[in-house]
Amino acid sequence: MAAPWSLGLCRRAGPRALNALLHSQSRALCVSSQQRYVSNTAGNCLQFKLDERTAHSSLDLFKKDTGVIYRILGLDPSLVLHNPERFRDWAVVFGDGHVKGGRHYWEVTVRKSQEFRVGVAEAAMSREDSVGTNSCSWVFAYSQRKWFAMTTNEMVPVSLAGKPDRVGLLLDYEAGWLGLVDIQKPRVIHRIRAPFRAALCPAFALWNGELLTHSGLEVPQGLD
């Protein structure tokens, strides 16, 4: 098979040109990967993966970093690579997409966990806190077979009967609310209202089982 035209030119131009071409191609691949999985836009179709740099030592990522599983023992924190982005005290992990505007929708398979929190948080939130315990994170918590809306460590009961296998989350940045969605209807079951001002990212806390995220989804028709 003939060599690609660009590599043929590099052979004639010498090793310096070849190195320059390979560097530019490598950089293009990195940019493409970042654009695919990290959103810093005000658009309406957030796609993200879970950010291993933020994951507590008791959490393992799987399925190409779209799922997270809780390990009772976890890793010895002293053996985990030090990273200022990592949660050291709480079993929390952030998504790698940052939202600065727009309406965004994603879903989470929750059937294999009995205690978790799903929602959003300011990307710069303190890694000393857990999501839902401060004024810069807003989550829906499931604990003791009940749902709650949670922020600033205050818990408001949510009238969602039972625990479905999968739930939706709808974020309307400009309108200032995060909604828990019954994906079977679909309908917004409960809204947490807040004046969002900073970049937000999907946020997850887990103390049992596993969660699987599904992003890059369009907002279902009929949700408002």
Side-chain angles (χ1 to χ4, degrees):
M1 180 180 294
W5 177 78
S6 57
L7 290 181
L9 284 179
C10 286
R11 287 197 183 100
R12 291 194 292 271
R16 180 176 297 179
L18 177 59
N19 289 337
L21 175 63
L22 292 176
H23 175 75
S24 64
Q25 289 177 336
S26 175
R27 183 177 180 183
L29 287 173
C30 290
V31 171
S32 175
S33 176
Q34 290 173 349
Q35 289 175 340
R36 182 177 179 185
Y37 296 119
V38 180
S39 172
N40 289 296
T41 178
N44 295 319
C45 193
L46 174 67
Q47 184 164 347
F48 65 87
K49 287 190 172 185
L50 300 177
D51 188 349
E52 191 279 333
R53 298 173 304 167
T54 68
H56 184 264
S57 59
S58 64
L59 302 178
D60 283 342
L61 306 187
F62 67 96
K63 203 166 185 180
K64 298 183 178 179
D65 294 346
T66 61
V68 57
I69 186 168
Y70 177 77
R71 307 291 188 187
I72 295 177
L73 296 179
L75 295 175
D76 182 342
S78 65
L79 300 178
V80 177
L81 181 65
H82 176 70
N83 188 326
E85 296 295 311
R86 190 179 306 282
F87 285 87
R88 307 291 291 185
D89 299 321
W90 300 94
V92 173
V93 62
F94 279 177
D96 64 5
H98 292 182
V99 174
K100 297 180 180 178
R103 282 164 56 90
H104 303 274
Y105 176 78
W106 61 97
E107 295 180 355
V108 186
T109 297
V110 299
R111 64 185 177 87
K112 292 186 178 181
S113 178
Q114 297 300 318
E115 188 172 4
F116 57 86
R117 297 174 189 173
V118 294
V120 296
E122 292 183 1
M125 177 186 131
S126 170
R127 292 338 191 224
E128 303 298 322
D129 297 340
S130 182
V131 290
T133 64
N134 52 32
S135 61
C136 53
S137 57
W138 304 265
V139 297
F140 292 99
Y142 185 80
S143 179
Q144 298 180 347
R145 299 183 180 181
K146 295 180 181 179
W147 286 92
F148 302 90
M150 189 174 180
T151 186
T152 62
N153 221 23
E154 295 183 3
M155 303 177 71
V156 177
V158 173
S159 57
L160 174 59
K163 182 169 75 69
D165 288 347
R166 185 162 162 168
V167 297
L169 292 166
L170 177 59
L171 171 67
D172 192 322
Y173 191 99
E174 281 78 17
W177 58 266
L178 173 72
L180 179 65
V181 176
D182 178 351
I183 67 173
Q184 299 300 323
K185 302 295 183 184
R187 65 187 179 95
V188 177
I189 299 165
H190 189 95
R191 290 179 175 85
I192 302 174
R193 299 189 180 275
F196 303 129
R197 297 186 179 91
L200 304 178
C201 59
F204 309 87
L206 182 64
W207 294 277
N208 169 273
E210 64 185 58
L211 301 175
L212 183 63
T213 65
H214 312 273
S215 64
L217 306 177
E218 297 290 340
V219 177
Q221 293 184 353
L223 292 183
D224 52 24

